[in-house]
Amino acid sequence: HFHNTQKMSDDEYEEVPDEEKLKIAQHFLLSSPPGQFSDLLADVTKLLPKDLISPEMLTGIRRAYDIRHTALVSVDGDKDKAIVLCKEAELDATKYIDSHAKKIVKVDHVGQTATTVTDKPLPPNAFDSSVEEKRTQALAGLDEYLEKHFSEGRAACGAF
């Protein structure tokens, strides 16, 4: 199936609709390598009309990226305390479970910050009590491994 199109001269460009620009920008951002999202976002926003990516859209893209790459985010400004952003820890788009502290953490995906929620308890089904002993043992073993092998770098784990 062929489309009849007019040939444009070398110095003419077809205008790309904003919707298409957003799809391309989202694809680039979601395809960026781990740890490169912010750098690529800075470049992409230079190429787009000002305010084309809404704050809500950017939050959604960053959340999808964080989940896909199991990103780490520091909790309460403590660089030594981080949680893993993953589907298993996600309660909703901005709330995650800190499986070490057994608390809810509110995440700002765009700002890459997290704060412990003190006024809301975990849902009763957050952890399966029948495997709690094994879960805490696994978490302790993972913590020990990370401390031994990633002492100079940033690492985190969770057990759900």
Side-chain angles (χ1 to χ4, degrees):
H1 183 78
F2 294 98
H3 295 282
N4 187 8
T5 58
Q6 283 189 309
K7 185 175 179 181
M8 301 175 82
S9 68
D10 290 340
D11 59 345
E12 290 183 82
Y13 297 96
E14 181 180 345
E15 181 61 33
V16 178
D18 285 350
E19 185 178 311
E20 186 71 18
K21 291 175 188 175
L22 285 171
K23 285 180 184 177
I24 293 167
Q26 180 174 343
H27 174 75
F28 280 151
L29 291 168
L30 290 175
S31 301
S32 65
Q36 299 298 311
F37 185 93
S38 295
D39 293 337
L40 189 60
L41 176 62
D43 293 339
V44 166
T45 54
K46 289 176 188 173
L47 299 173
L48 295 175
K50 186 173 171 45
D51 299 326
L52 184 61
I53 298 179
S54 70
E56 296 80 16
M57 183 178 192
L58 180 57
T59 297
I61 293 170
R62 183 64 199 233
R63 176 180 162 255
Y65 177 87
D66 288 346
I67 296 292
R68 181 181 291 171
H69 293 283
T70 55
L72 304 182
V73 64
S74 295
V75 178
D76 299 324
D78 183 349
K79 67 176 180 66
D80 294 326
K81 181 183 175 191
I83 61 165
V84 179
L85 301 180
C86 60
K87 277 289 182 198
E88 293 76 14
E90 188 176 59
L91 296 171
D92 66 34
T94 61
K95 298 206 182 52
Y96 292 79
I97 297 172
D98 176 345
S99 67
H100 284 83
K102 286 190 165 183
K103 295 195 182 267
I104 297 173
V105 175
K106 183 171 174 51
V107 175
D108 173 356
H109 288 281
V110 176
Q112 291 292 279
T113 60
T115 53
T116 302
V117 175
T118 56
D119 61 343
K120 227 179 192 185
L122 280 175
N125 62 344
F127 294 101
D128 182 346
S129 60
S130 69
V131 294
E132 182 59 19
E133 185 178 337
K134 290 181 182 186
R135 187 193 76 78
T136 55
Q137 288 172 351
L139 196 55
L142 288 166
D143 284 338
E144 184 180 318
Y145 177 85
L146 292 177
E147 190 173 314
K148 181 178 179 183
H149 295 284
F150 293 91
S151 61
E152 298 298 319
R154 187 166 179 221
C157 65
F160 305 94

